[in-house]
Amino acid sequence: VFPGVRQAQWLTKTKLVEGLPPAVQGIVDNPALGLQELEERAKHVVSHARLWDTAEVAPRREKYCPVLFENLIHICRLMSGKYPSLSKRMLARNFRIAATWERESILLQVRGLSGILMNSMTPIPPVASKEEILATKEHVLETFYPIAPTIDLQEVNVYKELNDTGQCFRDGYPYSHPHTLFFLESASVRTDRFRPEQLRAKMLMFAFGNALAKAKVLHGNDPKVLEQPIVVQSVGTDGQLFQFMVFQLNTTDLVSNDGVKNLVWIDSDQNLYERAQCVPEVKKGVVMKPAGISGFQPDTFKKFLALYLHGTV
Protein backbone atom coordinates (compact mmCIF):
# COMPACT_ATOMS: atom_id res chain seq x y z
CA VAL A 1 0.00 0.00 0.00
CA PHE A 2 1.31 3.44 -0.89
CA PRO A 3 -0.73 5.98 1.10
CA GLY A 4 0.96 9.05 -0.32
CA VAL A 5 3.92 11.11 -1.38
CA ARG A 6 4.43 12.67 2.10
CA GLN A 7 5.11 9.24 3.58
CA ALA A 8 7.34 8.28 0.62
CA GLN A 9 9.33 11.49 1.20
CA TRP A 10 10.06 10.50 4.79
CA LEU A 11 10.97 6.92 3.85
CA THR A 12 13.42 8.10 1.17
CA LYS A 13 14.68 11.24 2.99
CA THR A 14 13.52 13.43 0.13
CA LYS A 15 12.58 17.08 -0.31
CA LEU A 16 9.74 17.77 -2.76
CA VAL A 17 9.80 20.54 -5.36
CA GLU A 18 6.55 21.22 -7.23
CA GLY A 19 6.74 21.22 -11.05
CA LEU A 20 9.42 20.06 -13.44
CA PRO A 21 13.09 21.00 -12.93
CA PRO A 22 14.42 23.81 -15.18
CA ALA A 23 16.51 21.30 -17.20
CA VAL A 24 13.31 19.53 -18.33
CA GLN A 25 11.03 22.57 -18.52
CA GLY A 26 13.67 24.19 -20.76
CA ILE A 27 13.24 21.35 -23.27
CA VAL A 28 9.43 21.77 -23.20
CA ASP A 29 9.75 25.53 -23.81
CA ASN A 30 12.47 25.46 -26.47
CA PRO A 31 10.87 26.11 -29.90
CA ALA A 32 14.16 25.27 -31.67
CA LEU A 33 13.71 21.58 -30.81
CA GLY A 34 10.57 21.42 -32.95
CA LEU A 35 8.49 19.46 -30.44
CA GLN A 36 5.35 21.23 -31.70
CA GLU A 37 5.89 19.61 -35.10
CA LEU A 38 4.96 16.28 -33.50
CA GLU A 39 1.73 17.53 -31.87
CA GLU A 40 -0.53 16.43 -34.74
CA ARG A 41 1.05 13.00 -34.67
CA ALA A 42 0.42 12.78 -30.92
CA LYS A 43 -3.23 13.76 -31.40
CA HIS A 44 -3.50 11.05 -34.05
CA VAL A 45 -1.99 8.54 -31.59
CA VAL A 46 -4.65 9.38 -28.97
CA SER A 47 -7.41 8.86 -31.56
CA HIS A 48 -5.82 5.60 -32.65
CA ALA A 49 -5.65 4.23 -29.08
CA ARG A 50 -9.09 5.43 -27.97
CA LEU A 51 -11.22 5.17 -31.10
CA TRP A 52 -9.70 3.02 -33.83
CA ASP A 53 -7.60 0.24 -32.35
CA THR A 54 -10.64 -1.77 -31.31
CA ALA A 55 -13.78 -3.52 -32.49
CA GLU A 56 -15.56 -2.46 -29.27
CA VAL A 57 -17.82 0.56 -29.05
CA ALA A 58 -15.80 1.84 -26.10
CA PRO A 59 -12.38 0.18 -25.61
CA ARG A 60 -11.37 -0.73 -22.08
CA ARG A 61 -8.52 1.02 -20.32
CA GLU A 62 -6.45 -2.19 -20.14
CA LYS A 63 -6.48 -2.14 -23.95
CA TYR A 64 -6.02 1.54 -24.82
CA CYS A 65 -3.57 2.54 -22.08
CA PRO A 66 -0.70 0.25 -23.28
CA VAL A 67 -1.47 1.06 -26.95
CA LEU A 68 -1.24 4.79 -26.21
CA PHE A 69 2.04 4.32 -24.33
CA GLU A 70 3.68 2.27 -27.10
CA ASN A 71 2.63 4.82 -29.73
CA LEU A 72 3.92 7.77 -27.67
CA ILE A 73 7.26 6.00 -27.26
CA HIS A 74 7.31 5.44 -31.02
CA ILE A 75 6.92 9.22 -31.58
CA CYS A 76 9.78 9.83 -29.12
CA ARG A 77 12.00 7.45 -31.08
CA LEU A 78 11.44 9.52 -34.23
CA MET A 79 13.67 12.17 -32.63
CA SER A 80 16.68 9.83 -32.91
CA GLY A 81 17.14 11.02 -36.51
CA LYS A 82 17.99 14.42 -35.05
CA TYR A 83 19.72 13.05 -31.93
CA PRO A 84 21.46 9.74 -32.77
CA SER A 85 22.38 9.02 -29.13
CA LEU A 86 18.65 8.46 -28.46
CA SER A 87 19.05 5.13 -30.23
CA LYS A 88 21.29 4.02 -27.35
CA ARG A 89 18.29 3.21 -25.17
CA MET A 90 16.63 -0.04 -24.16
CA LEU A 91 13.20 -0.76 -22.67
CA ALA A 92 13.16 -3.49 -20.02
CA ARG A 93 9.72 -4.95 -19.28
CA ASN A 94 8.54 -7.00 -16.29
CA PHE A 95 11.59 -5.67 -14.55
CA ARG A 96 12.15 -6.53 -10.87
CA ILE A 97 14.09 -4.42 -8.40
CA ALA A 98 15.11 -4.82 -4.76
CA ALA A 99 16.82 -2.15 -2.68
CA THR A 100 17.42 -2.15 1.08
CA TRP A 101 18.25 0.76 3.37
CA GLU A 102 18.05 1.80 6.99
CA ARG A 103 15.98 4.77 8.16
CA GLU A 104 16.33 5.74 11.81
CA SER A 105 16.29 2.25 13.38
CA ILE A 106 14.06 0.65 10.74
CA LEU A 107 15.30 -1.64 7.97
CA LEU A 108 13.34 -0.88 4.79
CA GLN A 109 13.14 -2.55 1.42
CA VAL A 110 11.46 -1.68 -1.85
CA ARG A 111 11.04 -4.60 -4.17
CA GLY A 112 8.81 -5.98 -6.87
CA LEU A 113 7.82 -5.27 -10.45
CA SER A 114 9.18 -1.86 -11.25
CA GLY A 115 7.08 -0.82 -14.24
CA ILE A 116 8.76 -0.55 -17.64
CA LEU A 117 12.31 0.72 -17.33
CA MET A 118 14.10 2.64 -20.05
CA ASN A 119 17.86 2.23 -19.68
CA SER A 120 20.51 4.38 -21.28
CA MET A 121 24.20 4.04 -22.09
CA THR A 122 24.86 7.32 -20.30
CA PRO A 123 23.39 8.67 -17.05
CA ILE A 124 21.16 11.75 -16.86
CA PRO A 125 23.32 14.60 -15.50
CA PRO A 126 22.38 15.99 -12.07
CA VAL A 127 19.52 18.51 -12.27
CA ALA A 128 20.27 20.27 -8.97
CA SER A 129 23.51 22.20 -8.48
CA LYS A 130 26.00 21.60 -5.65
CA GLU A 131 24.58 24.72 -3.92
CA GLU A 132 21.00 23.45 -4.19
CA ILE A 133 22.07 20.06 -2.83
CA LEU A 134 23.86 21.64 0.16
CA ALA A 135 20.82 23.84 0.80
CA THR A 136 18.73 20.71 1.45
CA LYS A 137 20.59 20.35 4.78
CA GLU A 138 18.28 23.09 6.08
CA HIS A 139 15.14 21.25 4.96
CA VAL A 140 13.18 19.70 7.83
CA LEU A 141 11.45 16.45 6.95
CA GLU A 142 7.83 16.16 7.99
CA THR A 143 7.16 13.69 10.79
CA PHE A 144 3.86 11.93 11.43
CA TYR A 145 3.98 11.70 15.21
CA PRO A 146 2.14 10.03 16.93
CA ILE A 147 1.59 7.90 13.79
CA ALA A 148 4.57 5.75 12.79
CA PRO A 149 5.91 6.79 9.36
CA THR A 150 5.97 3.10 8.42
CA ILE A 151 2.21 2.69 8.93
CA ASP A 152 0.61 0.56 6.17
CA LEU A 153 3.93 -0.94 5.12
CA GLN A 154 4.05 -4.72 4.93
CA GLU A 155 6.25 -6.20 7.65
CA VAL A 156 8.36 -9.21 6.69
CA ASN A 157 11.29 -11.11 8.13
CA VAL A 158 14.36 -10.24 6.08
CA TYR A 159 16.89 -13.06 6.04
CA LYS A 160 19.00 -11.48 3.35
CA GLU A 161 19.40 -7.77 2.68
CA LEU A 162 18.75 -7.74 -1.04
CA ASN A 163 20.05 -5.08 -3.36
CA ASP A 164 19.21 -6.45 -6.74
CA THR A 165 19.13 -4.38 -9.89
CA GLY A 166 17.71 -7.23 -11.98
CA GLN A 167 19.57 -8.06 -15.19
CA CYS A 168 19.79 -4.43 -16.22
CA PHE A 169 22.93 -3.22 -14.49
CA ARG A 170 25.09 -6.34 -14.62
CA ASP A 171 28.77 -5.89 -15.50
CA GLY A 172 29.21 -5.49 -19.21
CA TYR A 173 25.56 -4.62 -19.93
CA PRO A 174 25.83 -1.64 -22.30
CA TYR A 175 22.59 0.08 -21.21
CA SER A 176 23.64 0.23 -17.61
CA HIS A 177 21.99 3.48 -16.41
CA PRO A 178 18.35 3.71 -15.31
CA HIS A 179 16.73 6.60 -17.22
CA THR A 180 12.93 6.59 -16.91
CA LEU A 181 10.37 4.30 -15.29
CA PHE A 182 6.91 4.05 -16.86
CA PHE A 183 3.91 2.92 -14.81
CA LEU A 184 0.69 2.06 -16.66
CA GLU A 185 -2.33 2.05 -14.36
CA SER A 186 -4.44 0.29 -16.94
CA ALA A 187 -6.94 -1.75 -14.88
CA SER A 188 -10.44 -1.15 -16.26
CA VAL A 189 -12.03 -1.42 -12.80
CA ARG A 190 -11.29 1.82 -10.93
CA THR A 191 -10.86 0.10 -7.53
CA ASP A 192 -8.04 -2.02 -9.01
CA ARG A 193 -6.07 1.08 -10.05
CA PHE A 194 -3.86 3.21 -7.84
CA ARG A 195 -5.34 6.64 -7.22
CA PRO A 196 -3.09 9.46 -8.56
CA GLU A 197 -1.62 10.21 -5.11
CA GLN A 198 -0.85 6.53 -4.51
CA LEU A 199 0.64 6.24 -7.99
CA ARG A 200 2.95 9.22 -7.36
CA ALA A 201 4.11 7.59 -4.09
CA LYS A 202 4.79 4.32 -5.92
CA MET A 203 6.68 6.21 -8.64
CA LEU A 204 8.83 7.93 -6.00
CA MET A 205 9.59 4.70 -4.12
CA PHE A 206 10.65 2.85 -7.28
CA ALA A 207 12.64 5.78 -8.75
CA PHE A 208 14.46 5.94 -5.41
CA GLY A 209 14.89 2.13 -5.34
CA ASN A 210 16.44 2.07 -8.82
CA ALA A 211 18.73 5.00 -8.00
CA LEU A 212 19.81 3.44 -4.69
CA ALA A 213 20.49 0.03 -6.26
CA LYS A 214 22.59 1.74 -8.96
CA ALA A 215 24.46 3.79 -6.33
CA LYS A 216 25.35 0.60 -4.43
CA VAL A 217 26.64 -1.02 -7.63
CA LEU A 218 28.84 2.03 -8.27
CA HIS A 219 29.91 2.96 -4.74
CA GLY A 220 29.32 -0.03 -2.44
CA ASN A 221 27.17 -0.13 0.68
CA ASP A 222 28.87 2.56 2.79
CA PRO A 223 26.40 5.45 3.38
CA LYS A 224 27.70 8.66 1.83
CA VAL A 225 26.81 11.90 0.07
CA LEU A 226 27.33 11.15 -3.62
CA GLU A 227 29.94 13.10 -5.54
CA GLN A 228 27.89 12.47 -8.68
CA PRO A 229 24.14 12.31 -7.83
CA ILE A 230 21.99 9.75 -9.67
CA VAL A 231 18.89 10.93 -11.53
CA VAL A 232 16.00 8.59 -12.32
CA GLN A 233 12.75 9.81 -13.89
CA SER A 234 9.27 8.38 -13.65
CA VAL A 235 6.08 8.71 -15.70
CA GLY A 236 2.73 7.29 -14.61
CA THR A 237 -0.52 7.25 -16.57
CA ASP A 238 -3.95 5.66 -16.72
CA GLY A 239 -4.15 6.40 -20.46
CA GLN A 240 -5.41 9.96 -20.00
CA LEU A 241 -4.02 11.55 -16.83
CA PHE A 242 -0.22 11.77 -16.54
CA GLN A 243 2.14 12.14 -13.57
CA PHE A 244 5.71 13.30 -14.24
CA MET A 245 8.61 12.96 -11.81
CA VAL A 246 12.36 13.57 -11.71
CA PHE A 247 14.20 12.10 -8.72
CA GLN A 248 17.78 12.93 -7.74
CA LEU A 249 19.60 10.67 -5.26
CA ASN A 250 22.09 12.93 -3.48
CA THR A 251 22.88 10.71 -0.52
CA THR A 252 22.79 7.08 0.56
CA ASP A 253 23.22 8.19 4.19
CA LEU A 254 19.57 7.69 5.06
CA VAL A 255 19.55 6.70 8.74
CA SER A 256 19.16 10.16 10.30
CA ASN A 257 17.03 13.16 9.34
CA ASP A 258 20.10 15.42 9.35
CA GLY A 259 22.38 16.43 6.51
CA VAL A 260 21.85 16.40 2.76
CA LYS A 261 18.44 15.24 1.51
CA ASN A 262 17.42 13.71 -1.79
CA LEU A 263 15.28 15.76 -4.19
CA VAL A 264 12.17 15.04 -6.23
CA TRP A 265 10.34 17.26 -8.71
CA ILE A 266 6.71 16.30 -9.36
CA ASP A 267 4.32 17.63 -12.00
CA SER A 268 0.94 16.16 -11.03
CA ASP A 269 -2.33 15.36 -12.76
CA GLN A 270 -1.66 16.48 -16.34
CA ASN A 271 -4.43 15.47 -18.75
CA LEU A 272 -3.33 14.52 -22.27
CA TYR A 273 -6.92 15.12 -23.47
CA GLU A 274 -10.25 15.96 -21.83
CA ARG A 275 -12.55 13.38 -23.39
CA ALA A 276 -12.72 10.58 -25.93
CA GLN A 277 -16.18 10.20 -27.43
CA CYS A 278 -16.28 6.81 -29.17
CA VAL A 279 -19.78 7.23 -30.61
CA PRO A 280 -21.61 10.54 -31.06
CA GLU A 281 -24.09 11.52 -28.37
CA VAL A 282 -27.39 12.22 -30.11
CA LYS A 283 -30.53 13.72 -28.55
CA LYS A 284 -33.72 14.10 -30.58
CA GLY A 285 -31.80 13.71 -33.80
CA VAL A 286 -29.28 16.42 -32.87
CA VAL A 287 -25.60 15.56 -32.31
CA MET A 288 -24.82 16.95 -28.86
CA LYS A 289 -21.26 15.58 -28.68
CA PRO A 290 -19.56 14.44 -31.89
CA ALA A 291 -17.33 11.37 -31.90
CA GLY A 292 -13.65 12.11 -31.47
CA ILE A 293 -11.05 13.45 -29.07
CA SER A 294 -11.68 16.78 -27.40
CA GLY A 295 -9.45 19.00 -25.31
CA PHE A 296 -6.07 17.66 -26.47
CA GLN A 297 -3.31 19.18 -24.30
CA PRO A 298 -0.10 19.56 -26.34
CA ASP A 299 1.94 20.59 -23.27
CA THR A 300 1.34 17.23 -21.60
CA PHE A 301 2.66 15.46 -24.69
CA LYS A 302 5.67 17.82 -24.78
CA LYS A 303 6.47 16.99 -21.14
CA PHE A 304 6.41 13.26 -21.95
CA LEU A 305 8.75 13.90 -24.88
CA ALA A 306 10.99 16.23 -22.83
CA LEU A 307 11.58 13.55 -20.19
CA TYR A 308 12.51 11.14 -22.98
CA LEU A 309 14.94 13.66 -24.48
CA HIS A 310 16.40 14.71 -21.11
CA GLY A 311 20.08 13.86 -20.84
CA THR A 312 20.54 13.89 -24.61
CA VAL A 313 19.32 17.31 -25.75
Side-chain angles (χ1 to χ4, degrees), residues 218-237:
L218 291 173
H219 308 297
N221 287 327
D222 290 342
K224 57 163 77 71
V225 174
L226 301 178
E227 190 61 40
Q228 186 69 12
I230 295 170
V231 176
V232 179
Q233 303 180 145
S234 204
V235 175
T237 184

Side-chain angles (χ1 to χ4, degrees), residues 49 90 159 273 276:
M90 182 66 71
Y159 300 105
Y273 54 94

Side-chain angles (χ1 to χ4, degrees), residues 143-179:
T143 57
F144 302 89
Y145 185 83
I147 300 167
T150 53
I151 191 168
D152 296 331
L153 298 188
Q154 184 185 355
E155 199 168 314
V156 294
N157 291 320
V158 176
Y159 300 105
K160 188 178 178 196
E161 289 186 29
L162 275 181
N163 287 290
D164 182 17
T165 56
Q167 297 299 317
C168 291
F169 311 131
R170 296 269 185 264
D171 283 352
Y173 183 71
Y175 309 97
S176 62
H177 298 279
H179 189 284

Side-chain angles (χ1 to χ4, degrees), residues 212-267:
L212 183 63
K214 180 64 181 173
K216 291 187 175 192
V217 167
L218 291 173
H219 308 297
N221 287 327
D222 290 342
K224 57 163 77 71
V225 174
L226 301 178
E227 190 61 40
Q228 186 69 12
I230 295 170
V231 176
V232 179
Q233 303 180 145
S234 204
V235 175
T237 184
D238 63 2
Q240 180 174 6
L241 192 67
F242 281 72
Q243 317 292 335
F244 300 110
M245 182 178 293
V246 179
F247 176 81
Q248 180 167 305
L249 186 76
N250 298 317
T251 181
T252 58
D253 187 359
L254 303 163
V255 175
S256 85
N257 289 323
D258 301 331
V260 165
K261 316 296 186 296
N262 298 311
L263 282 162
V264 69
W265 291 258
I266 302 180
D267 194 20

Side-chain angles (χ1 to χ4, degrees), residues 79-92:
M79 297 292 279
S80 57
K82 218 182 218 181
Y83 305 102
S85 58
L86 286 175
S87 58
K88 295 172 181 172
R89 301 272 180 85
M90 182 66 71
L91 281 181

